[in-house]
Amino acid sequence: MAVNRAFAGMAAGMALAFAGYFGGFGAFLLVAALGGLGAAAGHWSDGGGRLQDLRDAYERSRR
């Protein structure tokens, strides 16, 4: 079952609101950062990303 973008955005907004209300501004920033990281990882994997690509990029950066 695919989740449309409006529902995903609403769920993310609600998670940020709960974190901000119950945990304060630090929790809000943590949830926002981890949510962005998760969204980026999901976008990368939807585009056909592989773990081998990450390893190759890491090896190139060490040189």
Side-chain angles (χ1 to χ4, degrees):
M1 177 178 168
V3 177
N4 65 18
R5 291 176 193 247
F7 182 78
M10 180 190 67
M14 290 175 63
L16 289 172
F18 278 116
Y21 183 76
F22 292 111
F25 188 67
F28 173 82
L29 290 178
L30 179 65
V31 169
L34 292 177
L37 185 62
H43 182 70
W44 174 75
S45 69
D46 281 345
R50 300 176 307 155
L51 289 177
Q52 181 70 29
D53 298 337
L54 291 177
R55 190 181 70 90
D56 291 344
Y58 177 71
E59 290 297 322
R60 279 194 303 269
S61 70
R62 292 188 62 190
R63 294 182 191 168

Tab-separated table of all heavy atoms in Angstrom:
chain	number	residue	atom	x	y	z
A	1	MET	N	0.846	-1.174	0.000
A	1	MET	CA	0.000	0.000	0.000
A	1	MET	C	0.893	1.240	0.000
A	1	MET	O	1.746	1.403	0.859
A	1	MET	CB	-0.893	-0.026	1.218
A	1	MET	CG	-1.753	1.173	1.348
A	1	MET	SD	-2.801	0.991	2.803
A	1	MET	CE	-3.393	2.629	2.891
A	2	ALA	N	0.687	2.102	-0.928
A	2	ALA	CA	1.482	3.323	-1.049
A	2	ALA	C	0.839	4.442	-0.224
A	2	ALA	O	-0.379	4.579	-0.173
A	2	ALA	CB	1.584	3.748	-2.500
A	3	VAL	N	1.673	5.211	0.420
A	3	VAL	CA	1.210	6.346	1.212
A	3	VAL	C	1.423	7.601	0.376
A	3	VAL	O	2.511	7.832	-0.144
A	3	VAL	CB	2.009	6.440	2.533
A	3	VAL	CG1	1.592	7.660	3.321
A	3	VAL	CG2	1.829	5.183	3.347
A	4	ASN	N	0.354	8.401	0.213
A	4	ASN	CA	0.529	9.608	-0.586
A	4	ASN	C	1.302	10.664	0.201
A	4	ASN	O	1.454	10.595	1.410
A	4	ASN	CB	-0.814	10.140	-1.095
A	4	ASN	CG	-1.730	10.602	0.003
A	4	ASN	OD1	-1.301	10.850	1.124
A	4	ASN	ND2	-2.996	10.734	-0.308
A	5	ARG	N	1.829	11.630	-0.512
A	5	ARG	CA	2.721	12.621	0.092
A	5	ARG	C	2.014	13.514	1.105
A	5	ARG	O	2.618	13.940	2.085
A	5	ARG	CB	3.366	13.458	-1.000
A	5	ARG	CG	4.336	12.662	-1.818
A	5	ARG	CD	4.883	13.509	-2.948
A	5	ARG	NE	5.582	12.686	-3.908
A	5	ARG	CZ	6.885	12.751	-4.113
A	5	ARG	NH1	7.613	13.608	-3.447
A	5	ARG	NH2	7.456	11.956	-4.984
A	6	ALA	N	0.741	13.798	0.892
A	6	ALA	CA	0.013	14.643	1.829
A	6	ALA	C	-0.105	13.962	3.189
A	6	ALA	O	0.101	14.582	4.237
A	6	ALA	CB	-1.366	14.977	1.283
A	7	PHE	N	-0.413	12.675	3.188
A	7	PHE	CA	-0.529	11.942	4.445
A	7	PHE	C	0.825	11.822	5.128
A	7	PHE	O	0.933	11.984	6.345
A	7	PHE	CB	-1.127	10.552	4.207
A	7	PHE	CG	-1.312	9.769	5.471
A	7	PHE	CD1	-2.374	10.040	6.301
A	7	PHE	CD2	-0.404	8.792	5.833
A	7	PHE	CE1	-2.542	9.338	7.484
A	7	PHE	CE2	-0.555	8.090	7.005
A	7	PHE	CZ	-1.635	8.360	7.839
A	8	ALA	N	1.877	11.546	4.359
A	8	ALA	CA	3.220	11.440	4.935
A	8	ALA	C	3.647	12.781	5.533
A	8	ALA	O	4.239	12.818	6.612
A	8	ALA	CB	4.208	10.984	3.876
A	9	GLY	N	3.350	13.872	4.858
A	9	GLY	CA	3.668	15.198	5.384
A	9	GLY	C	2.898	15.512	6.649
A	9	GLY	O	3.444	16.094	7.593
A	10	MET	N	1.627	15.115	6.689
A	10	MET	CA	0.817	15.333	7.878
A	10	MET	C	1.369	14.528	9.052
A	10	MET	O	1.498	15.038	10.174
A	10	MET	CB	-0.631	14.942	7.636
A	10	MET	CG	-1.529	15.154	8.839
A	10	MET	SD	-3.166	14.438	8.670
A	10	MET	CE	-2.771	12.702	8.659
A	11	ALA	N	1.749	13.271	8.802
A	11	ALA	CA	2.293	12.430	9.865
A	11	ALA	C	3.618	12.999	10.384
A	11	ALA	O	3.867	13.015	11.595
A	11	ALA	CB	2.487	11.010	9.361
A	12	ALA	N	4.461	13.474	9.481
A	12	ALA	CA	5.732	14.074	9.900
A	12	ALA	C	5.482	15.341	10.713
A	12	ALA	O	6.149	15.581	11.730
A	12	ALA	CB	6.589	14.383	8.682
A	13	GLY	N	4.538	16.156	10.294
A	13	GLY	CA	4.203	17.367	11.039
A	13	GLY	C	3.671	17.062	12.428
A	13	GLY	O	4.017	17.735	13.403
A	14	MET	N	2.852	16.030	12.537
A	14	MET	CA	2.329	15.644	13.840
A	14	MET	C	3.444	15.123	14.745
A	14	MET	O	3.475	15.428	15.941
A	14	MET	CB	1.235	14.596	13.686
A	14	MET	CG	-0.043	15.159	13.081
A	14	MET	SD	-1.285	13.910	12.766
A	14	MET	CE	-1.615	13.315	14.393
A	15	ALA	N	4.380	14.359	14.178
A	15	ALA	CA	5.504	13.856	14.975
A	15	ALA	C	6.350	15.014	15.489
A	15	ALA	O	6.776	15.022	16.655
A	15	ALA	CB	6.349	12.894	14.144
A	16	LEU	N	6.602	15.995	14.645
A	16	LEU	CA	7.364	17.170	15.069
A	16	LEU	C	6.614	17.965	16.130
A	16	LEU	O	7.220	18.475	17.083
A	16	LEU	CB	7.683	18.051	13.866
A	16	LEU	CG	8.722	17.499	12.896
A	16	LEU	CD1	8.791	18.375	11.659
A	16	LEU	CD2	10.066	17.383	13.556
A	17	ALA	N	5.311	18.073	15.975
A	17	ALA	CA	4.517	18.813	16.960
A	17	ALA	C	4.552	18.117	18.325
A	17	ALA	O	4.734	18.780	19.357
A	17	ALA	CB	3.080	18.942	16.478
A	18	PHE	N	4.398	16.792	18.348
A	18	PHE	CA	4.467	16.065	19.613
A	18	PHE	C	5.852	16.182	20.244
A	18	PHE	O	5.978	16.360	21.453
A	18	PHE	CB	4.114	14.586	19.417
A	18	PHE	CG	2.643	14.332	19.387
A	18	PHE	CD1	2.044	13.854	18.241
A	18	PHE	CD2	1.849	14.558	20.500
A	18	PHE	CE1	0.688	13.616	18.201
A	18	PHE	CE2	0.488	14.323	20.475
A	18	PHE	CZ	-0.097	13.843	19.322
A	19	ALA	N	6.896	16.080	19.428
A	19	ALA	CA	8.255	16.199	19.962
A	19	ALA	C	8.486	17.586	20.538
A	19	ALA	O	9.079	17.730	21.608
A	19	ALA	CB	9.273	15.912	18.862
A	20	GLY	N	8.024	18.610	19.850
A	20	GLY	CA	8.183	19.970	20.339
A	20	GLY	C	7.389	20.238	21.603
A	20	GLY	O	7.860	20.917	22.519
A	21	TYR	N	6.193	19.681	21.679
A	21	TYR	CA	5.336	19.928	22.832
A	21	TYR	C	5.832	19.187	24.073
A	21	TYR	O	5.927	19.763	25.152
A	21	TYR	CB	3.897	19.518	22.515
A	21	TYR	CG	2.932	19.813	23.619
A	21	TYR	CD1	2.504	21.115	23.845
A	21	TYR	CD2	2.463	18.806	24.445
A	21	TYR	CE1	1.619	21.405	24.866
A	21	TYR	CE2	1.585	19.079	25.467
A	21	TYR	CZ	1.158	20.379	25.685
A	21	TYR	OH	0.295	20.659	26.699
A	22	PHE	N	6.151	17.902	23.913
A	22	PHE	CA	6.515	17.089	25.066
A	22	PHE	C	8.008	17.107	25.382
A	22	PHE	O	8.400	16.920	26.521
A	22	PHE	CB	6.064	15.636	24.866
A	22	PHE	CG	4.579	15.477	24.878
A	22	PHE	CD1	3.899	15.152	23.727
A	22	PHE	CD2	3.863	15.670	26.042
A	22	PHE	CE1	2.528	15.002	23.733
A	22	PHE	CE2	2.480	15.529	26.061
A	22	PHE	CZ	1.812	15.196	24.902
A	23	GLY	N	8.852	17.315	24.384
A	23	GLY	CA	10.280	17.218	24.624
A	23	GLY	C	11.033	18.528	24.549
A	23	GLY	O	12.224	18.574	24.824
A	24	GLY	N	10.383	19.569	24.105
A	24	GLY	CA	11.052	20.850	23.988
A	24	GLY	C	11.699	21.025	22.621
A	24	GLY	O	11.570	20.199	21.712
A	25	PHE	N	12.415	22.134	22.508
A	25	PHE	CA	12.990	22.499	21.211
A	25	PHE	C	14.096	21.542	20.781
A	25	PHE	O	14.239	21.241	19.595
A	25	PHE	CB	13.522	23.936	21.268
A	25	PHE	CG	13.956	24.461	19.935
A	25	PHE	CD1	13.016	24.685	18.942
A	25	PHE	CD2	15.282	24.727	19.676
A	25	PHE	CE1	13.405	25.166	17.709
A	25	PHE	CE2	15.686	25.207	18.447
A	25	PHE	CZ	14.742	25.430	17.452
A	26	GLY	N	14.883	21.023	21.706
A	26	GLY	CA	15.948	20.072	21.375
A	26	GLY	C	15.383	18.806	20.766
A	26	GLY	O	15.920	18.271	19.785
A	27	ALA	N	14.301	18.295	21.338
A	27	ALA	CA	13.660	17.097	20.789
A	27	ALA	C	13.073	17.393	19.411
A	27	ALA	O	13.128	16.543	18.518
A	27	ALA	CB	12.566	16.609	21.731
A	28	PHE	N	12.526	18.581	19.236
A	28	PHE	CA	11.993	18.986	17.928
A	28	PHE	C	13.091	18.945	16.878
A	28	PHE	O	12.906	18.402	15.790
A	28	PHE	CB	11.394	20.391	18.031
A	28	PHE	CG	10.981	20.969	16.717
A	28	PHE	CD1	9.769	20.633	16.157
A	28	PHE	CD2	11.805	21.851	16.044
A	28	PHE	CE1	9.382	21.162	14.935
A	28	PHE	CE2	11.436	22.383	14.830
A	28	PHE	CZ	10.213	22.038	14.271
A	29	LEU	N	14.262	19.507	17.200
A	29	LEU	CA	15.371	19.509	16.241
A	29	LEU	C	15.872	18.103	15.952
A	29	LEU	O	16.191	17.779	14.804
A	29	LEU	CB	16.511	20.379	16.760
A	29	LEU	CG	16.251	21.877	16.775
A	29	LEU	CD1	17.463	22.599	17.353
A	29	LEU	CD2	15.920	22.388	15.392
A	30	LEU	N	15.946	17.251	16.975
A	30	LEU	CA	16.389	15.878	16.777
A	30	LEU	C	15.435	15.120	15.870
A	30	LEU	O	15.863	14.434	14.937
A	30	LEU	CB	16.524	15.170	18.122
A	30	LEU	CG	16.972	13.713	18.060
A	30	LEU	CD1	18.385	13.632	17.506
A	30	LEU	CD2	16.895	13.071	19.429
A	31	VAL	N	14.139	15.249	16.112
A	31	VAL	CA	13.151	14.559	15.276
A	31	VAL	C	13.196	15.092	13.849
A	31	VAL	O	13.125	14.329	12.886
A	31	VAL	CB	11.732	14.699	15.881
A	31	VAL	CG1	10.668	14.226	14.917
A	31	VAL	CG2	11.646	13.928	17.178
A	32	ALA	N	13.360	16.391	13.687
A	32	ALA	CA	13.438	16.977	12.351
A	32	ALA	C	14.680	16.480	11.606
A	32	ALA	O	14.607	16.127	10.425
A	32	ALA	CB	13.446	18.490	12.429
A	33	ALA	N	15.821	16.422	12.283
A	33	ALA	CA	17.057	15.968	11.641
A	33	ALA	C	16.974	14.498	11.261
A	33	ALA	O	17.347	14.103	10.140
A	33	ALA	CB	18.239	16.217	12.564
A	34	LEU	N	16.498	13.664	12.165
A	34	LEU	CA	16.386	12.232	11.860
A	34	LEU	C	15.323	11.970	10.795
A	34	LEU	O	15.479	11.066	9.974
A	34	LEU	CB	16.078	11.442	13.132
A	34	LEU	CG	17.206	11.404	14.157
A	34	LEU	CD1	16.764	10.660	15.408
A	34	LEU	CD2	18.458	10.791	13.573
A	35	GLY	N	14.267	12.752	10.802
A	35	GLY	CA	13.257	12.623	9.751
A	35	GLY	C	13.814	12.991	8.385
A	35	GLY	O	13.542	12.331	7.389
A	36	GLY	N	14.608	14.050	8.333
A	36	GLY	CA	15.251	14.432	7.074
A	36	GLY	C	16.227	13.384	6.593
A	36	GLY	O	16.297	13.083	5.401
A	37	LEU	N	16.981	12.811	7.518
A	37	LEU	CA	17.919	11.745	7.159
A	37	LEU	C	17.170	10.523	6.630
A	37	LEU	O	17.574	9.923	5.630
A	37	LEU	CB	18.761	11.372	8.377
A	37	LEU	CG	19.870	10.366	8.158
A	37	LEU	CD1	20.897	10.902	7.171
A	37	LEU	CD2	20.520	10.037	9.480
A	38	GLY	N	16.084	10.170	7.264
A	38	GLY	CA	15.275	9.048	6.805
A	38	GLY	C	14.649	9.307	5.442
A	38	GLY	O	14.588	8.419	4.591
A	39	ALA	N	14.195	10.524	5.221
A	39	ALA	CA	13.615	10.873	3.922
A	39	ALA	C	14.669	10.818	2.824
A	39	ALA	O	14.407	10.329	1.717
A	39	ALA	CB	12.988	12.262	3.981
A	40	ALA	N	15.871	11.293	3.126
A	40	ALA	CA	16.947	11.240	2.140
A	40	ALA	C	17.333	9.798	1.826
A	40	ALA	O	17.558	9.438	0.662
A	40	ALA	CB	18.166	12.014	2.651
A	41	ALA	N	17.398	8.954	2.844
A	41	ALA	CA	17.729	7.541	2.625
A	41	ALA	C	16.637	6.847	1.814
A	41	ALA	O	16.932	6.041	0.925
A	41	ALA	CB	17.918	6.833	3.961
A	42	GLY	N	15.383	7.159	2.091
A	42	GLY	CA	14.287	6.584	1.324
A	42	GLY	C	14.297	7.033	-0.124
A	42	GLY	O	14.068	6.232	-1.038
A	43	HIS	N	14.581	8.306	-0.335
A	43	HIS	CA	14.649	8.837	-1.701
A	43	HIS	C	15.800	8.188	-2.464
A	43	HIS	O	15.662	7.828	-3.626
A	43	HIS	CB	14.821	10.352	-1.661
A	43	HIS	CG	14.865	10.993	-3.003
A	43	HIS	ND1	13.753	11.081	-3.807
A	43	HIS	CD2	15.877	11.555	-3.690
A	43	HIS	CE1	14.098	11.682	-4.934
A	43	HIS	NE2	15.396	11.968	-4.882
A	44	TRP	N	16.932	8.011	-1.789
A	44	TRP	CA	18.097	7.372	-2.410
A	44	TRP	C	17.794	5.920	-2.777
A	44	TRP	O	18.108	5.471	-3.868
A	44	TRP	CB	19.287	7.451	-1.453
A	44	TRP	CG	20.482	6.696	-1.923
A	44	TRP	CD1	21.342	7.068	-2.903
A	44	TRP	CD2	20.940	5.451	-1.439
A	44	TRP	NE1	22.315	6.117	-3.048
A	44	TRP	CE2	22.092	5.110	-2.157
A	44	TRP	CE3	20.486	4.580	-0.444
A	44	TRP	CZ2	22.794	3.941	-1.922
A	44	TRP	CZ3	21.192	3.424	-0.216
A	44	TRP	CH2	22.322	3.117	-0.948
A	45	SER	N	17.139	5.183	-1.869
A	45	SER	CA	16.850	3.780	-2.154
A	45	SER	C	15.765	3.634	-3.220
A	45	SER	O	15.791	2.678	-3.996
A	45	SER	CB	16.461	3.030	-0.888
A	45	SER	OG	15.215	3.469	-0.421
A	46	ASP	N	14.822	4.570	-3.289
A	46	ASP	CA	13.802	4.532	-4.348
A	46	ASP	C	14.425	4.768	-5.711
A	46	ASP	O	13.919	4.276	-6.715
A	46	ASP	CB	12.729	5.590	-4.112
A	46	ASP	CG	11.718	5.165	-3.076
A	46	ASP	OD1	11.673	3.970	-2.744
A	46	ASP	OD2	10.977	6.048	-2.600
A	47	GLY	N	15.523	5.498	-5.750
A	47	GLY	CA	16.208	5.774	-7.007
A	47	GLY	C	17.129	4.654	-7.452
A	47	GLY	O	17.875	4.819	-8.402
A	48	GLY	N	17.123	3.537	-6.766
A	48	GLY	CA	17.942	2.404	-7.158
A	48	GLY	C	19.311	2.394	-6.514
A	48	GLY	O	20.230	1.745	-7.009
A	49	GLY	N	19.467	3.094	-5.406
A	49	GLY	CA	20.746	3.129	-4.710
A	49	GLY	C	21.104	1.773	-4.138
A	49	GLY	O	20.249	0.987	-3.765
A	50	ARG	N	22.416	1.492	-4.092
A	50	ARG	CA	22.902	0.234	-3.533
A	50	ARG	C	23.933	0.541	-2.450
A	50	ARG	O	24.557	1.592	-2.457
A	50	ARG	CB	23.573	-0.616	-4.618
A	50	ARG	CG	22.648	-0.984	-5.760
A	50	ARG	CD	23.391	-1.727	-6.830
A	50	ARG	NE	24.575	-0.947	-7.224
A	50	ARG	CZ	25.677	-1.473	-7.754
A	50	ARG	NH1	25.773	-2.751	-7.961
A	50	ARG	NH2	26.701	-0.704	-8.086
A	51	LEU	N	24.120	-0.402	-1.534
A	51	LEU	CA	25.124	-0.229	-0.489
A	51	LEU	C	26.526	-0.156	-1.079
A	51	LEU	O	27.395	0.516	-0.538
A	51	LEU	CB	25.032	-1.365	0.522
A	51	LEU	CG	23.808	-1.345	1.423
A	51	LEU	CD1	23.801	-2.561	2.325
A	51	LEU	CD2	23.771	-0.087	2.245
A	52	GLN	N	26.743	-0.825	-2.181
A	52	GLN	CA	28.043	-0.788	-2.853
A	52	GLN	C	28.396	0.648	-3.257
A	52	GLN	O	29.553	1.046	-3.175
A	52	GLN	CB	28.019	-1.693	-4.090
A	52	GLN	CG	29.317	-1.752	-4.857
A	52	GLN	CD	30.404	-2.499	-4.101
A	52	GLN	OE1	30.110	-3.378	-3.314
A	52	GLN	NE2	31.633	-2.138	-4.351
A	53	ASP	N	27.403	1.422	-3.671
A	53	ASP	CA	27.640	2.822	-4.032
A	53	ASP	C	28.164	3.627	-2.843
A	53	ASP	O	29.065	4.459	-2.990
A	53	ASP	CB	26.358	3.465	-4.564
A	53	ASP	CG	25.840	2.803	-5.823
A	53	ASP	OD1	26.647	2.167	-6.530
A	53	ASP	OD2	24.629	2.914	-6.081
A	54	LEU	N	27.595	3.390	-1.658
A	54	LEU	CA	28.049	4.100	-0.462
A	54	LEU	C	29.482	3.710	-0.107
A	54	LEU	O	30.294	4.558	0.253
A	54	LEU	CB	27.129	3.795	0.714
A	54	LEU	CG	25.725	4.365	0.637
A	54	LEU	CD1	24.914	3.909	1.833
A	54	LEU	CD2	25.761	5.867	0.566
A	55	ARG	N	29.794	2.434	-0.201
A	55	ARG	CA	31.145	1.974	0.110
A	55	ARG	C	32.154	2.569	-0.851
A	55	ARG	O	33.233	3.016	-0.453
A	55	ARG	CB	31.221	0.456	0.069
A	55	ARG	CG	32.532	-0.091	0.609
A	55	ARG	CD	32.566	-1.596	0.527
A	55	ARG	NE	32.675	-2.037	-0.845
A	55	ARG	CZ	33.848	-2.251	-1.466
A	55	ARG	NH1	34.972	-2.054	-0.829
A	55	ARG	NH2	33.874	-2.657	-2.714
A	56	ASP	N	31.806	2.610	-2.129
A	56	ASP	CA	32.710	3.187	-3.126
A	56	ASP	C	32.946	4.680	-2.862
A	56	ASP	O	34.067	5.160	-2.978
A	56	ASP	CB	32.147	2.991	-4.530
A	56	ASP	CG	32.158	1.535	-4.962
A	56	ASP	OD1	32.872	0.710	-4.322
A	56	ASP	OD2	31.445	1.217	-5.940
A	57	ALA	N	31.891	5.403	-2.512
A	57	ALA	CA	32.032	6.827	-2.218
A	57	ALA	C	32.903	7.032	-0.977
A	57	ALA	O	33.735	7.959	-0.943
A	57	ALA	CB	30.661	7.464	-2.005
A	58	TYR	N	32.769	6.187	0.021
A	58	TYR	CA	33.586	6.284	1.226
A	58	TYR	C	35.054	6.022	0.901
A	58	TYR	O	35.936	6.729	1.379
A	58	TYR	CB	33.079	5.293	2.280
A	58	TYR	CG	33.910	5.264	3.530
A	58	TYR	CD1	33.885	6.321	4.413
A	58	TYR	CD2	34.761	4.192	3.794
A	58	TYR	CE1	34.643	6.307	5.563
A	58	TYR	CE2	35.534	4.173	4.944
A	58	TYR	CZ	35.480	5.218	5.816
A	58	TYR	OH	36.238	5.214	6.940
A	59	GLU	N	35.306	5.020	0.085
A	59	GLU	CA	36.696	4.706	-0.306
A	59	GLU	C	37.325	5.844	-1.104
A	59	GLU	O	38.489	6.155	-0.925
A	59	GLU	CB	36.740	3.397	-1.088
A	59	GLU	CG	36.443	2.160	-0.260
A	59	GLU	CD	37.479	1.938	0.825
A	59	GLU	OE1	38.678	2.188	0.591
A	59	GLU	OE2	37.079	1.513	1.921
A	60	ARG	N	36.557	6.469	-1.977
A	60	ARG	CA	37.080	7.598	-2.762
A	60	ARG	C	37.425	8.777	-1.868
A	60	ARG	O	38.397	9.484	-2.097
A	60	ARG	CB	36.075	8.021	-3.824
A	60	ARG	CG	36.082	7.164	-5.069
A	60	ARG	CD	35.311	7.839	-6.186
A	60	ARG	NE	33.924	8.143	-5.807
A	60	ARG	CZ	32.910	7.327	-6.005
A	60	ARG	NH1	33.089	6.156	-6.577
A	60	ARG	NH2	31.703	7.689	-5.667
A	61	SER	N	36.624	8.999	-0.825
A	61	SER	CA	36.866	10.147	0.047
A	61	SER	C	38.082	9.936	0.950
A	61	SER	O	38.658	10.904	1.434
A	61	SER	CB	35.631	10.429	0.901
A	61	SER	OG	35.450	9.417	1.865
A	62	ARG	N	38.475	8.716	1.183
A	62	ARG	CA	39.626	8.440	2.051
A	62	ARG	C	40.947	8.643	1.320
A	62	ARG	O	41.989	8.721	1.958
A	62	ARG	CB	39.552	7.011	2.571
A	62	ARG	CG	38.390	6.827	3.547
A	62	ARG	CD	38.425	5.510	4.194
A	62	ARG	NE	39.660	5.385	4.970
A	62	ARG	CZ	40.080	4.266	5.511
A	62	ARG	NH1	39.371	3.168	5.368
A	62	ARG	NH2	41.191	4.222	6.203
A	63	ARG	N	40.932	8.696	0.012
A	63	ARG	CA	42.172	8.848	-0.754
A	63	ARG	C	42.689	10.244	-0.734
A	63	ARG	O	42.151	11.214	-0.499
A	63	ARG	CB	41.963	8.426	-2.208
A	63	ARG	CG	41.674	6.967	-2.308
A	63	ARG	CD	41.518	6.588	-3.748
A	63	ARG	NE	40.984	5.228	-3.784
A	63	ARG	CZ	40.525	4.663	-4.846
A	63	ARG	NH1	40.509	5.301	-5.970
A	63	ARG	NH2	40.059	3.458	-4.816
